[in-house]
Amino acid sequence: MINRLTDALPAMPSSIVAGDSLRVVRADLGATYPAADGYSATFIFVPERGGSAVTIDGEASSGGWLLYAAGSVTADWAAGDWRWSVKVESDDGRFTAENGNMRVQPDPASAADTRSHARKTLDALEAVIEGRASKTDMETTLADGRQIKRISHDELVKMRKTYAGLVAAEERKRGRGGPARILVSL
């Protein structure tokens, strides 16, 4: 097992937790594009939902190109899916050596609301239907631009069914939900 605090991973991980250090050493890129021959490597991370790219210069090491992002850097990364790429440059130009995807998980120690849009909307709909809605619930804005407080009770009930289905699908995808149907024969 790799000590992720001191040892570098040999490849980019498929997921990290925001606030954790990220250390990757790419021996294959170091062998093909050595710093001694004038190459440099840059690691670029871009959130898929939009936002600013994070660029980290690779460090030449005896083991290859090293990427190190301190926990203080990744703490600012928004939870969700990110694209990453490794750009190699020399006097001859630039080349994208590799790219891929990575999921940034929210830091469990943070106070951020990590519920999905569907879960937040379902919770707000249920609170309004049950008469226990807060001002925040009442002012929840849906994808079509309407606020929950301006929707009729019948439409709220229909929407609740739709969002309950979306949340159930999310939970099944995460392995939290049971089967979609249970068939019983008597």
Side-chain angles (χ1 to χ4, degrees):
M1 181 173 183
I2 293 177
N3 178 339
R4 293 193 60 176
L5 291 175
T6 59
D7 299 329
L9 298 170
M12 197 68 71
S14 60
S15 71
I16 67 164
V17 174
D20 285 0
S21 299
L22 176 61
R23 189 184 311 263
V24 177
V25 68
R26 296 302 309 272
D28 56 337
L29 294 177
T32 307
Y33 307 103
D37 290 350
Y39 292 99
S40 64
T42 304
F43 295 82
I44 303 166
F45 299 87
V46 181
E48 287 189 359
R49 290 188 179 187
S52 300
V54 177
T55 302
I56 301 171
D57 292 331
E59 297 176 32
S61 71
S62 59
W65 285 106
L66 173 68
L67 157 70
Y68 176 69
S72 59
V73 172
T74 68
D76 294 334
W77 293 9
D81 295 324
W82 287 61
R83 293 185 321 267
W84 59 265
S85 62
V86 182
K87 306 283 185 187
V88 176
E89 292 186 57
S90 73
D91 291 338
D92 297 327
R94 185 185 86 176
F95 171 70
T96 301
E98 187 176 16
N99 55 41
N101 296 304
M102 176 173 52
R103 176 166 292 253
V104 175
Q105 303 291 341
D107 183 350
S110 74
D113 186 352
T114 60
R115 296 175 298 164
S116 69
H117 166 74
R119 170 50 76 187
K120 288 177 191 177
T121 304
L122 177 61
D123 290 347
L125 287 167
E126 288 178 339
V128 171
I129 291 168
E130 296 169 3
R132 56 178 176 79
S134 68
K135 184 177 180 182
T136 303
D137 291 331
M138 293 297 285
E139 293 177 354
T140 298
T141 302
L142 303 175
D144 63 4
R146 295 183 299 163
Q147 287 186 325
I148 287 180
K149 67 182 176 184
R150 303 196 190 285
I151 299 173
S152 71
H153 181 76
D154 289 340
E155 195 172 354
L156 288 172
V157 172
K158 287 179 189 175
M159 292 174 73
R160 187 220 169 272
K161 184 176 181 180
T162 300
Y163 277 94
L166 293 172
V167 169
E170 288 175 350
E171 290 178 353
R172 277 193 304 276
K173 186 176 178 183
R174 289 187 192 120
R176 293 184 188 159
R181 295 185 292 165
I182 298 176
L183 303 175
V184 177
S185 166
L186 299 176

